[in-house]
Amino acid sequence: MYGLLIRILRDASEIIIATAVLLIAVRMLATNYTVRGPSMEPTLWENQRVFVNRLGNIRLGELSLYGQRGFLFGGPQRGDIIVFQPQESGFDHIVKRVIGVPGDEIDISDKGELFINGKESVFLDTYTSPKYYFEYPVTVPEGHYFVMGDNRNKSNDSRNWGFVPAEEIAGKVWLLYWPGGDFTAF
């Protein structure tokens, strides 16, 4: 009887430990965020919840196995939706779309049209913005990204406060999971 109880406790503790290790591993590779504000509409709406893939943004300093220098698995690409946490903004996290990667030339015309490397962008419609951080055209520096919200007229983004440093990027939006009817993979 005593041996049976010990065996049950040992088996239960093994299951609990294995589950805890699995949860920690998953949490290291992916995390979840709640979308705040209207800047990503109609792609993402306020209070929707997303999983963010952190694996693609594992940084290796100046090394690279795949993709951009400094990222283990490629890092952010043009068109990706990312979550980042600006160190000096006071915001918990921000969700935006990558418009320019290191080396890209970004230009915004007087009419509000966006050009990437001399070609009109397919990522957005025309929009207006009362004030720009940069004098355009501008080249995205190494280790930084130019981001914008999909709802151009209601987005506070790189046009207003500049480039996003790679080290502030938490990861790429991977899955919209809440509310349940809005389940979408990116």
Side-chain angles (χ1 to χ4, degrees):
M1 176 74 174
Y2 217 50
L4 178 63
L5 180 61
I6 290 173
R7 194 170 35 172
I8 291 170
L9 288 174
R10 184 183 63 227
D11 291 347
S13 65
E14 288 175 0
I15 291 171
I16 290 169
I17 290 170
T19 302
V21 168
L22 181 63
L23 287 173
I24 290 169
V26 167
R27 190 68 172 160
M28 289 174 64
L29 299 177
T31 190
N32 60 321
Y33 289 97
T34 302
V35 176
R36 304 280 182 225
S39 72
M40 285 302 294
E41 293 174 2
T43 308
L44 297 170
W45 298 83
E46 185 163 13
N47 294 321
Q48 286 183 318
R49 293 185 177 98
V50 295
F51 276 122
V52 173
N53 175 358
R54 295 168 54 164
L55 182 62
N57 287 7
I58 294 175
R59 297 197 41 80
L60 294 175
E62 295 300 311
L63 300 174
S64 178
L65 297 180
Y66 309 98
Q68 296 178 40
R69 189 174 73 195
F71 288 100
L72 179 60
F73 295 108
Q77 303 298 312
R78 194 178 308 114
D80 287 349
I81 300 172
I82 62 169
V83 172
F84 57 99
Q85 298 173 310
Q87 297 173 359
E88 298 179 16
S89 73
F91 292 104
D92 177 34
H93 65 275
I94 297 175
V95 179
K96 300 288 182 199
R97 185 175 302 276
V98 175
I99 300 299
V101 298
D104 281 350
E105 182 184 84
I106 306 296
D107 194 9
I108 299 177
S109 74
D110 293 339
K111 297 177 186 175
E113 300 159 321
L114 175 69
F115 295 87
I116 302 170
N117 298 325
K119 297 178 183 165
E120 191 164 6
S121 172
V122 295
F123 292 118
L124 44 109
D125 301 320
T126 58
Y127 60 89
T128 58
S129 183
K131 173 183 146 199
Y132 292 131
Y133 181 82
F134 298 110
E135 195 170 310
Y136 294 97
V138 65
T139 300
V140 181
E142 188 68 37
H144 291 79
Y145 296 84
F146 190 92
V147 299
M148 295 175 79
D150 287 356
N151 186 356
R152 306 293 179 238
N153 290 322
K154 297 197 179 191
S155 180
N156 186 9
D157 50 39
S158 287
R159 295 170 294 168
N160 309 102
W161 34 255
F163 301 113
V164 175
E167 58 271 4
E168 292 181 355
I169 298 173
K172 176 183 170 185
V173 172
W174 172 53
L175 186 69
L176 168 62
Y177 71 92
W178 188 261
D182 295 336
F183 190 83
T184 306
F186 291 92

